[in-house]
Amino acid sequence: MNLQEMLDQAATGTVHVQEGWGQGRATYGGLVAGLAHAGLRGQFVDAPPLRHLMVSFVAPLAPGDARVEVTPLRQGKNATQAQAHLVQDGQVVAAVLAAFGRERESAISVPHETVPMPQLPEPESIEPFPYIPGATPDFFQHVELRLADGAVPYTGADTSHMHGWMRFREAPPVFDERHFVTLGDAWPPAVIQMLSQFAPGSSLTWSLEVTEDVAAEPDTHWAYAVRTDRAEGGYAHTDARIWHPDGRLVAISRQTVAIFG
């Protein structure tokens, strides 16, 4: 079962999570969020564009059957807010809050150029992170990450940022909010490049703010830049931006990451 089939299933409220999307002992967090978002979109077909998604990764999601339980919170004229729980074996494995909102007239405008896209080499000039069975996360076989600045994980670097490009290795038939959410969490925690040997790191929470329409060509390369604001006591706090290749800032991504090393 491919990504599109899983997203389509999740829209019905039940989904079979396919093997091959692992990240350590859990399913890749972007897929977890993407399935929850697809479930929300299945319930709110006519909801306005996604503005904010807040994900709490409660427990590992394993391959197999799961449910998306959606609770409406408020549907107004311009904004819809709802909650989704991804449930497996009777346990909530992810809790998601989503806010959808229509555009409205406003006297305030801060253009996307205020946070410019970093100068990156052409994607094809950078070798993507490899997928090595048993060595890299399983989901790397589905996503293509090309690192332009920063360091590779577990190399004992003194940097804690990453700049680069991302897309799916196999382009889906369409690319919309569901695919963007699924792709948006693909980069490894930026701080693990500072470790000299392997130690697990996983997202505890993820906040994704969408600033404009993310529908695009399915094979689009998205620019990504993340910095670490602080890391102490086994937790890191990161702040990222995502741009369309034409330079439009389309999303702001913030994470709290647990580091076990």
Side-chain angles (χ1 to χ4, degrees), residues 79-95:
T80 296
Q81 298 196 54
Q83 174 181 274
H85 285 168
L86 198 58
V87 179
Q88 188 173 61
D89 297 329
Q91 180 182 9
V92 175
V93 297

Side-chain angles (χ1 to χ4, degrees), residues 219-233:
D219 61 349
T220 295
H221 288 277
W222 299 88
Y224 180 87
V226 59
R227 71 167 192 262
T228 302
D229 291 330
R230 182 173 173 82
E232 206 75 51

Side-chain angles (χ1 to χ4, degrees), residues 50-53 180 207-211 250-254:
L50 179 68
R51 299 294 174 177
H52 181 248
L53 199 72
F180 185 81
S207 172
L208 182 68
E209 303 170 25
V210 181
T211 61
V250 297
I252 300 164
S253 172
R254 309 177 199 272

Side-chain angles (χ1 to χ4, degrees), residues 42-209:
Q43 292 288 319
F44 300 100
V45 177
D46 297 324
L50 179 68
R51 299 294 174 177
H52 181 248
L53 199 72
M54 178 67 199
V55 185
S56 182
F57 299 103
V58 179
L61 174 67
D65 294 336
R67 301 194 319 276
V68 185
E69 299 179 353
V70 174
T71 303
L73 299 177
R74 185 177 187 275
Q75 287 184 270
K77 178 181 178 181
N78 292 308
T80 296
Q81 298 196 54
Q83 174 181 274
H85 285 168
L86 198 58
V87 179
Q88 188 173 61
D89 297 329
Q91 180 182 9
V92 175
V93 297
V96 177
L97 289 173
F100 305 87
R102 302 187 192 284
E103 285 193 359
R104 62 189 78 192
E105 291 187 8
S106 174
I108 297 173
S109 175
V110 179
H112 63 80
E113 292 88 356
T114 304
V115 183
M117 188 174 89
Q119 295 294 318
L120 300 174
E122 288 298 314
E124 290 77 9
S125 70
I126 307 169
E127 284 295 318
F129 283 176
Y131 167 58
I132 305 172
T136 60
D138 287 347
F139 81 92
F140 270 26
Q141 64 189 295
H142 303 293
V143 300
E144 183 183 278
L145 307 177
R146 298 175 186 261
L147 180 66
D149 192 15
V152 174
Y154 310 115
T155 54
D158 59 4
T159 53
S160 61
H161 70 277
M162 287 178 162
H163 298 173
W165 299 99
M166 61 180 177
R167 68 174 179 177
F168 290 111
R169 290 186 187 269
E170 182 178 347
V174 296
F175 192 98
D176 56 32
E177 283 180 3
R178 301 167 300 166
H179 306 87
F180 185 81
V181 169
T182 304
L183 183 64
D185 189 35
W187 285 85
V191 290
I192 64 174
Q193 64 189 275
M194 304 180 75
L195 297 173
S196 298
Q197 59 186 8
F198 174 79
S202 62
S203 298
L204 188 65
T205 62
W206 180 32
S207 172
L208 182 68
E209 303 170 25

